[in-house]
Amino acid sequence: MKDISGLFGSMVFNDTVMRARLPKDIYKAMKKAISQGTHLEYDVANAVANAMKEWAIEKGVTHFTHWFQPMTGTTAEKHDSFISPSSGGQIIMEFSGKELVHGESDASSFPSGGLRATFEARGYTIWDTTSFAFIKDNTLCIPTAFCSYSGEALDKKTPLLRSMEVINKQAMRILRLFGNTTAQRVITTVGPEQEYFLVDKEMFLKRPDLIYTGRTLFGARPPKGQELEDHYFGCIKPRVAAFMKELDEELWKLGVHAKTKHNEVAPAQHELAPFFTTANIAVDHNQITMELMKTLANKHGMACLLHEKPFAGVNGSGKHNNWSLSTDTGVNLLEPGETPYQNAQFLLFLVAVIKAVDEYQDLLRVSAASAGNDHRLGANEAPPAIVSMFLGDELQEILEAIESNANYKGKKRSPMEIGVTVLPDFPKDTTDRNRTSPFAFTGNKFEFRMLGSMFSVAGPNIVLNTIVGEILSEFADMLQESKDFTGDLARLVKKTYSEHKRIIFNGNNYSQEWVAQAQTRGLSNLRTTVDAFPAFVNRKNITLFTKHHVFTEQEIYSRYEILIESYCKTLHIEALTMIDIVKGKIIPAVVGYQSELACLFRTKKACGQFDTSLEAHLMSGISKLAACMLRKLTALEQAASECADKHEILAHASFYRDTVCPAMSELRLIVDELETLTAKKYWPLPAYADLLFSVI
Ligand code: ADP
Ligand code: MG
């Protein structure tokens, strides 16, 4: 039996290690820098770097890297060794404070959306001291923010840290108004649940579509899919269990609180949920988790698919972003309290989130938009593209009672009065759940369910922190002028709920009736990524981000450009991969099978005494489909080559959505039908059944 508590965090230069290894004054200075986000003095940085190097070398480390999250959505690293030449042809192992805190890299190939001109190709990395350094693959990794020479953010971490500051500042103002003098900071807490598929590596390597695009671009439906729902929470297969065990252990070593693991609804689909932590650390940990899932799956003879929709007709993978606010003293601000005053505070935070989600539905939608996620959102699966909130009947009834000064059923002393009445208990367990809601209150946190499985969770949390921070700032502005705090507070809660309750929907989000009802409520329904993009750069949202210094206007436009470019590139690669597979694999396979049939047909005919109706039937069916496939292939080739003529970026993206995507679907339809007619030994791609049931 392994010593799990000894294992946990063993590869992290965390607080315990710092306390043990740093001189007292240095440790104190470091703690101060972490808690207050202040600059590290030169001598402190040098001492920390030295202790870090000693610790890392003891663990066999030879290199260090600034580990950052460029706009590609993954992580980047450039390894430098500790080795430094010394006299007499010797070497010494060196790592300075400057190298720890600040890095410089030629980053001209990372997407910058025009922020970095080629003459100024340098990017700078700066240590995020709130996220501990860790060892991965014998390399000391230092989590850093990444920006340009003139300070523009080129990554996902910088704006996330800025947004955490916004909500900290505004939530603290509210807490002070409620007379809280003990809390020093408000922290955003995040727990991302991660879905993924595991398929056999041999099968994976035979599918160029999975290799190049992460999803299957062809594949007829298997005789058995997820109909029986027998996979959900089912018994975990030994190979998968071995993978999960090693994944847990490796994550624990890196200080990631991997907690829950289970099979998901679709065959070959699984989920991992960590214990929640501070937002920026949760983002770092989720990136590490995704990376480890891929490398460990490979080690176990499997491939981990993180794409949002690897298989048509089978559930896709999402990521549930559980989000809440907590004080540094450990009080969850979205947890109803035990006194009327605490509950009034809870209700204020609650209606702030309701208002934020209603007013910035479009931004939340953009934060979950990508080519891959378009197969889920708005496509009768997962949450729809319409943003709405689930509060649960109980909590909604409480708010309704408050709004109308009415009695609340569970309460003797009524009507409900904010700041006077204790909230009645409402169930926080799984009985009160709505799995179809994109944004659900789950007892003491919100669960934003629209994210795709491949996403960095930075983007959605940047939006959440900023929009809720904005509403809290409005509330604080209003309440700090108040002469009658309790009365004004009650009026504010009522008014906010009443003005924004259209965003609350406790019913079935997958139903057609909801789409119609949402429209009458005036909620936005941005079905595709291309519909959602423009919202990012509308005046309201630019004003929001610039007001709170989360993004400059230039940073917003650069990100907008990167998003659109990445959407177009993804679809372009998919189109080219399809063309390549059809020409290089499908056509030869179909021709091969046809020639076998023709040969048999001729032989039988020559004998003159056999029935050839089967061969004739097959040949005729395949010939018709093959001719159709050729037409669809030509149409896709034409569409893919026309894209180059579109210069305005949104028009470019629309062309992919309206012309390239349909051409891809049409070609796929024919090829999938051909698969059902072609003998299996000729078909060049492992079938869906082979992939989905390949790991035994
Ligand atoms: P489920 O949503 O399946 O019912 P849980 O209630 O266990 O599961 O929580 C799911 C995720 O929510 C976990 O990753 C958990 O750590 C996270 N979570 C729980 N409380 C909070 C919180 N206060 N802030 C952020 N995330 C949280
Ligand atoms: Mg969940």
Side-chain angles (χ1 to χ4, degrees):
M1 177 75 189
K2 279 193 183 138
D3 168 21
I4 301 298
S5 59
L7 198 73
F8 191 85
S10 57
M11 291 299 183
V12 187
F13 194 77
N14 55 22
D15 189 58
T16 318
V17 183
M18 282 194 239
R19 194 197 304 253
R21 290 183 172 251
L22 295 176
K24 254 207 175 84
D25 54 330
I26 301 288
Y27 173 71
K28 259 178 133 173
M30 185 67 213
K31 283 288 276 186
K32 189 168 157 230
I34 293 175
S35 64
Q36 297 176 3
T38 47
H39 192 70
L40 277 186
E41 295 301 331
Y42 186 68
D43 55 333
V44 178
N46 271 334
V48 175
N50 198 46
M52 215 183 252
K53 179 197 72 184
E54 298 291 319
W55 170 79
I57 288 174
E58 281 168 31
K59 293 187 178 286
V61 169
T62 50
H63 287 68
F64 72 93
T65 180
H66 275 201
W67 184 80
F68 58 101
Q69 297 163 26
M71 293 302 298
T72 52
T74 53
T75 52
E77 38 195 83
K78 183 182 118 215
H79 298 190
D80 281 304
S81 74
F82 290 134
I83 290 174
S84 218
S86 78
S87 58
Q90 303 288 303
I91 52 141
I92 48 166
M93 300 294 259
E94 265 186 349
F95 184 47
S96 69
K98 189 169 168 290
E99 284 172 309
L100 165 65
V101 175
H102 193 255
E104 197 182 306
S105 67
D106 173 9
S108 50
S109 298
F110 290 116
S112 80
L115 271 186
R116 212 176 338 87
T118 31
F119 62 83
E120 185 34 273
R122 270 173 302 172
Y124 294 89
T125 48
I126 304 123
W127 185 22
D128 166 15
T129 51
T130 58
S131 187
F132 297 130
F134 58 93
I135 297 172
K136 182 171 67 76
D137 298 333
N138 287 328
T139 302
L140 174 67
C141 300
I142 299 142
T144 52
F146 178 47
C147 64
S148 73
Y149 178 70
S150 41
E152 283 111 355
L154 296 173
D155 67 346
K156 303 205 170 217
K157 189 187 265 281
T158 309
L160 177 70
L161 293 171
R162 292 174 185 161
S163 75
M164 288 166 69
E165 241 352 273
V166 174
I167 199 156
N168 165 41
K169 187 168 152 204
Q170 303 305 336
M172 279 306 298
R173 288 178 66 202
I174 300 281
L175 292 188
R176 293 285 183 257
L177 289 171
F178 273 86
N180 182 329
T181 52
T182 48
Q184 296 304 318
R185 280 188 80 75
V186 169
I187 299 149
T188 326
T189 52
V190 170
E193 299 164 60
Q194 176 74 46
E195 293 182 341
Y196 62 98
F197 278 86
L198 286 176
V199 298
D200 188 83
K201 191 164 144 188
E202 259 182 57
M203 302 285 169
F204 172 83
L205 291 174
K206 289 185 189 147
R207 300 273 325 203
D209 47 0
L210 281 180
I211 297 173
Y212 298 140
T213 71
R215 74 181 183 102
T216 53
L217 300 171
F218 301 106
R221 302 288 186 276
K224 179 179 189 255
Q226 64 190 52
E227 303 81 1
L228 299 177
E229 303 200 334
D230 49 355
H231 192 254
Y232 193 50
F233 281 34
C235 166
I236 299 172
K237 292 177 183 142
R239 241 170 110 191
V240 175
F243 157 84
M244 285 179 168
K245 182 169 180 289
E246 192 172 352
L247 178 63
D248 273 346
E249 286 178 8
E250 289 305 313
L251 287 172
W252 291 337
K253 283 186 201 164
L254 293 173
V256 180
H257 288 85
K259 191 160 164 56
T260 314
K261 53 188 179 185
H262 60 80
N263 287 349
E264 261 299 328
V265 176
Q269 194 183 28
H270 312 278
E271 180 182 302
L272 181 144
F275 197 75
F276 67 92
T277 180
T278 315
N280 61 323
I281 298 170
V283 171
D284 289 356
H285 283 180
N286 184 246
Q287 292 296 138
I288 294 174
T289 304
M290 290 194 286
E291 190 186 319
L292 269 178
M293 279 176 168
K294 293 213 158 230
T295 43
L296 289 178
N298 189 35
K299 189 176 157 196
H300 286 255
M302 299 182 285
C304 171
L305 310 180
L306 288 172
H307 194 280
E308 284 78 24
K309 192 71 179 175
F311 305 99
V314 174
N315 266 11
S317 297
K319 181 136 58 189
H320 293 177
N321 187 77
N322 293 275
W323 177 94
S324 190
L325 295 170
S326 163
T327 63
D328 56 344
T329 51
V331 178
N332 182 345
L333 298 174
L334 291 176
E335 171 102 48
E338 275 161 15
T339 67
Y341 225 52
Q342 284 168 346
N343 284 326
Q345 183 183 299
F346 161 73
L347 287 171
L348 189 67
F349 278 104
L350 183 72
V351 293
V353 181
I354 294 174
K355 180 171 182 188
V357 174
D358 185 30
E359 284 189 352
Y360 296 97
Q361 299 160 42
D362 52 354
L363 262 187
L364 283 166
R365 175 66 184 91
V366 176
S367 80
S370 76
N373 221 15
D374 275 3
H375 298 289
R376 297 173 64 238
L377 307 181
N380 276 335
E381 185 190 315
I386 305 164
V387 176
S388 74
M389 281 172 96
F390 169 81
L391 291 184
D393 293 339
E394 214 73 31
L395 190 53
Q396 190 167 1
E397 274 166 31
I398 293 169
L399 287 166
E400 287 290 328
I402 289 170
E403 187 195 14
S404 54
N405 291 330
N407 293 357
Y408 174 70
K409 66 170 172 76
K411 210 57 202 162
K412 300 258 168 351
R413 259 186 303 124
S414 13
M416 292 286 298
E417 261 186 76
I418 298 156
V420 178
T421 324
V422 178
L423 284 186
D425 283 341
F426 55 90
K428 278 181 230 162
D429 61 16
T430 43
T431 54
D432 195 22
R433 289 287 167 103
N434 178 330
R435 298 272 168 206
T436 69
S437 175
F439 202 96
F441 184 68
T442 47
N444 57 7
K445 63 183 190 295
F446 279 97
E447 189 170 337
F448 183 29
R449 302 205 182 105
M450 286 173 107
L451 284 66
S453 46
M454 223 167 28
F455 280 53
S456 153
V457 284
N461 287 301
I462 293 170
V463 170
L464 268 172
N465 293 344
T466 313
I467 63 178
V468 177
E470 160 63 17
I471 306 302
L472 291 176
S473 85
E474 286 172 20
F475 285 3
D477 288 348
M478 226 177 293
L479 291 172
Q480 75 188 12
E481 302 300 325
S482 169
K483 305 270 178 298
D484 165 22
F485 185 72
T486 314
D488 284 343
L489 178 70
R491 281 183 284 279
L492 180 59
V493 169
K494 263 190 214 179
K495 179 168 174 285
T496 310
Y497 174 69
S498 162
E499 285 173 2
H500 297 282
K501 67 180 191 180
R502 64 169 186 165
I503 196 76
I504 295 164
F505 178 62
N506 288 346
N508 177 9
N509 283 259
Y510 298 172
S511 68
Q512 274 315 304
E513 296 83 73
W514 168 234
V515 177
Q517 200 192 119
Q519 196 177 6
T520 35
R521 290 190 191 190
L523 300 182
S524 69
N525 184 2
L526 303 168
R527 280 208 47 244
T528 66
T529 294
V530 181
D531 296 319
F533 280 148
F536 192 23
V537 290
N538 70 28
R539 200 29 62 190
K540 174 193 74 163
N541 294 333
I542 291 180
T543 307
L544 168 83
F545 283 127
T546 51
K547 172 181 167 194
H548 293 287
H549 308 290
V550 172
F551 290 123
T552 62
E553 186 156 346
Q554 212 190 355
E555 284 171 344
I556 295 175
Y557 274 103
S558 77
R559 264 150 224 262
Y560 170 70
E561 222 171 89
I562 291 169
L563 275 173
I564 299 184
E565 248 179 44
S566 136
Y567 173 86
C568 296
K569 280 183 186 159
T570 304
L571 290 171
H572 197 73
I573 293 169
E574 288 186 354
L576 295 188
T577 306
M578 268 192 136
I579 294 168
D580 198 53
I581 293 178
V582 170
K583 284 180 160 173
K585 287 183 179 288
I586 309 283
I587 293 179
V590 171
V591 168
Y593 184 44
Q594 275 180 312
S595 107
E596 184 182 327
L597 285 173
C599 186
L600 183 61
F601 183 81
R602 271 199 309 275
T603 315
K604 278 187 171 180
K605 276 269 185 231
C607 294
Q609 51 187 333
F610 293 109
D611 184 335
T612 53
S613 56
L614 177 67
E615 291 77 12
H617 173 77
L618 282 172
M619 278 163 51
S620 136
I622 292 177
S623 300
K624 273 191 209 132
L625 282 173
C628 187
M629 172 173 71
L630 189 62
R631 284 198 300 279
K632 302 293 179 195
L633 174 69
T634 313
L636 180 59
E637 285 184 305
Q638 171 81 25
S641 69
E642 263 178 48
C643 302
D645 304 335
K646 308 281 174 290
H647 295 300
E648 202 277 312
I649 52 171
L650 201 58
H652 198 189
S654 305
F655 184 80
Y656 274 100
R657 180 193 58 187
D658 301 333
T659 310
V660 178
C661 281
M664 282 172 32
S665 305
E666 286 178 27
L667 176 59
R668 175 181 183 147
L669 207 67
I670 306 299
V671 172
D672 288 358
E673 211 175 325
L674 265 170
E675 183 184 343
T676 65
L677 287 183
T678 308
K680 208 167 164 42
K681 67 170 182 180
Y682 281 94
W683 200 252
L685 305 169
Y688 263 32
D690 300 330
L691 286 164
L692 288 167
F693 302 98
S694 61
V695 177
I696 40 172

